[in-house]
Amino acid sequence: MGTRGRERMKQSSLSIDTLREVVRTLPKNGLTPSREAAVAHLDEHGLPTLRDEDWKYTDLSPVVDISNRWLTAGGQQQLPKPPSETIAAITSSIDAAWLVISNGTIDEQSVGALKQKGVEVSRFSDAPSEFVMSRPLADLNAALLQDGLRVRVTESIEKPIGILIVDRAGDSVAVAQSCVEIEVGSGVSADFIEYHASEGDADHYANTVLSIAVGDRADVRHVRIQNRSVRHVQTGRTSITAGREARLRMASYDLGGGLIRNDVDIDISEPGADITFDGLYLAGDGQHIDNHTRVDHRVGPATSSQEYRGILKGNCRCVWNGKAIVHKGADGTDASQANHNLLLSDKAEIDTKPELEIYADEVKCSHGTTVGQLDETALFYLRARGLDKRHATQILTHAFAADIVLRAPVAGVKDAITAIVEARLAELIEADAAADLLS
Amino acid sequence: MLEITDLKSRIGDSEILRGLSLSVKAGEVHAIMGPNGSGKSTLAQVIAGHEDYEVTGGTVTYEGHDLLELEPEERAREGIFLGFQYPVEIPGVNNAYLLKAAVNAKRKHQGLGEVDAFEFLKLAREKMAVLGMDPKFLNRGVNEGFSGGEKKRNEILQMAMLEPSLAILDETDSGLDIDALKAVAAGVNALRSPERAIILVTHYQRLLDYVQPDYVHVLSQGRIVRSGDKSLALELEERGYEWVREAANA
Amino acid sequence: MATESENLESLVNRRYEHGFITDIETDSLPPGLNEDVVRAISARKHEPPFMLEWRLQAYRQWLEMKEPKWAHVHYPKIDYNEISYFSAPKSDEDRPKSLDEVDPKLLETYDKLGIPLHERARLAGVAVDAVFDSVSVATTFKEKLSEAGVIFCSFSEAVQEYPDLVQKYLGTVVPRRDNFFAALNAAVFSDGSFVYIPKGVRCPMELSTYFRINAANTGQFERTLIIADEGSHVSYLEGCTAPMRDENQLHAAVVELIALKDAEIKYSTVQNWYPGDENGVGGIYNFVTKRGDCRGANSKISWTQVETGSAITWKYPSCLLRGDNSVGEFYSVAVANNMQQADTGTKMIHIGRNTSSTIVSKGISAGRAENAYRGLVRVMPQAHGARNHTQCDSLLIGKQCGAHTFPYMEIKNPSARVEHEATTSKISADQLFYCRQRGLSEEDAVNMIVNGFCKEVFKELPMEFAVEAQALLNVSLEGAVG
């Protein structure tokens, strides 16, 4: 992926002319004006580079490279669909009403099949959305988006709504955009599961945008599982707005992917919001996983609390940047951030940066970050009870991850996540001789 | 010593004291009892001068002067001590430092010289021994990381050092085990003298087994609804506060 | 509650005590910067050719560099051609040999600042190399130091007397082109202090320098170089204050510390430069590069700073932990009040094996000030067994100020243990009421709580400095109780 050795690399830029041509070939519909605006925005601002503070640890060269190659090849929109078994394996393991977007194309059948009381699903092409293109990569998404999904939940629902974004890169390079807008009405309780998967040998870049407007006093639980191929690239942006006394529980699991960059923005403009979001990332050889979160506390009182944990093994790099901004007048804000990392190999790198910007004084803000290894006393204790090093390592690494897995706010996904985490950890830990873990 | 007449006070929009009157003379021990939310702690805070509580009516005179005119620190220097229900933690500030600063602030106010470090430590250690406190507490941050019982003992230590004329102990007995309760009671009894008055604000009569009050008052909805001697406390213990509430409404 | 915070705000409104201007004729170069100015500075100081060459290269590099923009500070554009790059007391040609020869007016100035040179130097056993504007005018206790083999002199003198040492170490910690302000300093630095502690010597006294900025439009470009040879130990104190001035003054100093095998350097600063008035008029721009190099095994460099002054502070005293088992420390109290802006912190670069670093930062924001901690902990791939602990606390006084934390942790070795903790708090109304109920005035209560907040840092300062720092902090938060 070429994400390391970034310092000296000169970043090439996105070919806007080719992009413009490809955008022209897209069917004319309600999205046409926003696509043109997006191209103009991209033309003016370009994609972020290592010189941008928020992107200093993640080189987007692979995104530019894959996009340019795909655009030059004509920006084919009709890509080979992932086999139905792949989709079925996911949708059958987690109980939810699934909406499927594969290779950037909305699966009409899944939309038709979703018939829950209080849930309305519509397309952007019917009624275009207000695009917010000022955020990096959201403009690229808006320029190339085939169509977006809008989900409105007006009554509390029992069964989670699942959003499956699944891609397949067949023989040639591919790029897919998806955009989903969720609106949860006042006082409504709802569960969402966002699942990302990909397969195939060719280079693939997925760019996803998801927004959730949590209504006044609404109660939302959201779980994101990213289990893409380690060959593939994804950038994703999740934007949350929280209504008055809204409650949100979120958890994000990055268990696969080659180059992954997640941006989570949470905007608290109404008092009383109560938000927790947790994350887990597991990285092995060749992976680069970057989580950037930002919470804007514009009014108080409100609570936001986040904890991300990472396990790094092999030649990989992870980035965590949590930012909490307490704006003037946001008295009664309680914001906390935590990031804990297990570094299990010589070639792994973690760059972690918890940031607080505080402009109000009636606040409680804190952050804690640690980077370290497994507790040697605990390892010794287990070995003294007769476990071998590898097994002891596995148990403790699992325990480190388990805290976050157990916090998945939607009960029905815990088993599925546990299964992936276990398989992935076993792969990571057995990847090389367990003995060197203690050296 | 303390004369409260028709005192009315509110915090924010909610009226808490609604015409409370109380007279306390030197040498007396008064117990103020009452259900949660009856205004017991508010009374203590108003006497100490907490700015969150607005006095909307009535008068409070202390030693013949208008108490409500004074800043909190002036009241303290005049000999009013409030034992806090929730003693505040002040990280990094040495317990001994605060204690010495407080003792000297009062001495200065009385026109006396500052107490020297040696004298101060000697006195503090004596008082701590009586209260069963480890001298190490002097070197820790004010209430920082103290257990509930330790905080309350620390309040009593401060009281013992400051030798107030009027001590108000706000639920000092709550959350204490029997040993701590006895230590606190011993501290209070040691302070009893014909020149001093003590107001015990308490929910239960447990403390009153160890500190015998001269008067017991029952507070309900911001007023004193019954006053009597210590037998009133026992009656309350037996019959509960419901009985008072009914009496108040009757 | 509203009245409480108003009171608090008025508490922090204080006046700068050291606002006066000394009326001494100065021998200055006209404002402006070009190669001729660099040559003129070098010529006036009778520098050997290597110094001139070094300065010229720095100047050329500086021309190609851009002023950094990333810090959380805002100020009008600086016109580098409006600054005069050299000013020295007129007595430069005939420098005083002892305090008795020093211009009495100068001594009076120090007295006003509360630094009675004779008294202080003698009583406290401190050697003072006082920098007035840009040139050293008085040095004491030289004999006692030279008995021990310690070199403590002005930078200019070191260039004349110890050119080999200067040439060997100058710019080896902060290279000429390290950053915009360091390059500017390298081109035009006027003077500063030079310290060399020979092998195995424990410096017999604390070394100290007082900086002042005086003449109008005079940029200050001090340069300090401290070398602790193998097994040696030195504690260096730096304290500053500046007269009141309406025009912003740029100060771009460079401090380089080098600790060889088993050596230890403790560098303490109390900085109280003019911060500007309540409306942000005037004040010093303090853009300083301070870096220590733990070059040898088991070496230790410790930075302690109490920063209460300057309109803008941009300062990151750092440690390069090159030697195995080397130790870096950073203890900081930064107060920003009124319109002050501070972006300060440290960098700990772990390179050797089993290196460790400790960071304790206490930021206090009041008025409309902006106070940011920015720190980097980097563990290089070869830095096996690195340890870092960072504690970063902010205290807010009032509703108009900002407190920010930007810690960067870049960890490339799996045996590293890095911990970072940060908290934000205010002086709570409950704490104030509690103290007042015990008879303390509001002002005393605030001072007590603030000093308690800073305790971990103050205990790292040499005793007499700690007292001064505490007093300074109280002055900084002084004012009428409303």
Side-chain angles (χ1 to χ4, degrees), chain C residues 77-78 83 133 159 213 300 320 396 436 475 477:
Chain C
K77 203 168 160 47
I78 298 167
I83 296 169
D133 275 66
V159 169
I213 298 179
K300 177 176 175 184
L320 301 172
L396 290 119
R436 292 175 75 194
V475 168
L477 300 168

Side-chain angles (χ1 to χ4, degrees), chain C residues 68-204:
Chain C
K69 291 269 175 277
W70 43 263
H72 200 93
V73 296
H74 306 278
Y75 54 91
K77 203 168 160 47
I78 298 167
D79 186 342
Y80 292 90
N81 279 318
E82 275 186 7
I83 296 169
S84 168
Y85 290 86
F86 189 81
S87 101
K90 211 172 186 182
S91 48
D92 188 39
E93 292 302 316
D94 188 15
R95 306 219 5 218
K97 302 287 179 291
S98 75
L99 283 176
D100 304 334
E101 292 177 30
V102 167
D103 187 339
K105 226 170 184 174
L106 214 64
L107 291 179
E108 208 180 294
T109 307
Y110 290 123
D111 281 345
K112 281 191 210 165
L113 287 169
I115 313 162
L117 206 55
H118 318 260
E119 302 302 289
R120 191 180 194 98
R122 235 168 258 153
L123 290 175
V126 172
V128 177
D129 179 326
V131 175
F132 184 86
D133 275 66
S134 311
V135 171
S136 262
V137 289
T139 309
T140 52
F141 284 104
K142 270 207 158 154
E143 277 168 36
K144 195 170 173 192
L145 288 171
S146 64
E147 269 170 36
V150 172
I151 302 170
F152 177 35
C153 62
S154 72
F155 208 104
S156 313
E157 199 179 332
V159 169
Q160 304 299 329
E161 305 288 326
Y162 315 100
D164 294 348
L165 278 176
V166 172
Q167 196 165 7
K168 183 172 176 190
Y169 291 106
L170 176 68
T172 61
V173 186
V174 180
R176 285 186 303 247
R177 56 173 313 146
D178 185 80
N179 66 69
F180 183 83
F181 298 113
L184 180 63
N185 176 287
V188 302
F189 78 90
S190 39
D191 213 332
S193 298
F194 177 87
V195 177
Y196 174 79
I197 316 289
K199 274 186 193 170
V201 171
R202 210 184 156 84
C203 185

Side-chain angles (χ1 to χ4, degrees), chain A residues 172-206:
Chain A
S172 56
V173 61
V175 171
Q177 312 289 334
S178 67
C179 186
V180 179
E181 218 178 81
I182 296 172
E183 244 183 83
V184 180
S186 299
V188 167
S189 160
D191 292 349
F192 298 92
I193 296 156
E194 179 191 346
Y195 199 113
H196 297 264
S198 74
E199 57 184 33
D201 293 332
D203 290 341
H204 188 280
Y205 166 51

Side-chain angles (χ1 to χ4, degrees), chain C residues 238-355:
Chain C
E238 173 200 313
C240 331
T241 177
M244 191 173 284
R245 203 35 97 177
D246 268 344
E247 227 159 314
N248 289 312
Q249 289 180 302
L250 173 66
H251 185 92
V254 169
V255 175
E256 295 182 280
L257 310 183
I258 296 151
L260 300 180
K261 188 165 169 282
D262 301 319
E264 182 177 342
I265 301 175
K266 188 171 172 60
Y267 193 104
S268 312
T269 307
V270 171
Q271 187 266 112
N272 182 27
W273 280 332
Y274 182 52
D277 66 12
E278 292 86 350
N279 300 313
V281 177
I284 304 298
Y285 291 179
N286 187 21
F287 301 151
V288 182
T289 306
K290 288 184 167 179
R291 194 173 302 153
D293 186 352
C294 284
R295 212 165 273 187
N298 312 312
S299 57
K300 177 176 175 184
I301 289 179
S302 179
W303 297 100
T304 306
Q305 59 174 29
V306 176
E307 303 273 327
T308 64
S310 296
I312 301 177
T313 302
W314 181 97
K315 180 180 171 187
Y316 314 91
S318 306
C319 295
L320 301 172
L321 302 170
R322 256 190 245 279
D324 291 349
N325 312 311
S326 59
V327 176
E329 293 176 339
F330 175 75
Y331 298 95
S332 169
V333 167
V335 180
N337 190 9
N338 294 323
M339 296 294 282
Q340 278 178 278
Q341 306 175 56
D343 195 302
T344 182
T346 185
K347 291 187 216 170
M348 293 289 173
I349 313 295
H350 293 257
I351 303 164
R353 290 174 74 86
N354 302 316
T355 51

Side-chain angles (χ1 to χ4, degrees), chain B residues 45 48-52 71-77 80-84 86-94 97-98 101-103 105-106 139 141-143 151 154-155 158 162, chain C residues 1-5 7 362 425-456 470 474 481-482:
Chain B
Q45 299 278 340
H50 198 293
E51 283 153 7
D52 283 358
E71 293 292 324
E73 59 267 38
E74 292 169 332
R75 299 182 198 202
R77 292 170 195 168
I80 294 180
F81 178 89
L82 171 62
F84 284 64
Y86 304 107
V88 180
E89 297 194 10
I90 310 176
V93 174
N94 191 293
Y97 182 86
L98 171 70
V103 168
K106 186 171 176 184
N139 296 320
V142 175
N143 293 323
K151 283 183 181 171
N154 200 27
E155 293 292 285
Q158 294 184 5
L162 289 167
Chain C
M1 205 73 77
T3 52
E4 293 259 352
S5 35
N7 288 350
K362 303 281 180 175
S425 56
K426 56 172 289 194
I427 296 179
S428 77
D430 286 346
Q431 287 175 333
L432 273 186
F433 180 64
Y434 188 77
C435 293
R436 292 175 75 194
Q437 211 300 308
R438 296 296 178 259
L440 272 65
S441 71
E442 191 160 357
E443 195 169 319
D444 287 346
V446 168
N447 284 341
M448 193 179 79
I449 293 167
V450 168
N451 280 313
F453 175 76
C454 300
K455 201 166 92 179
E456 279 169 274
Q470 206 152 333
N474 292 351
V481 180

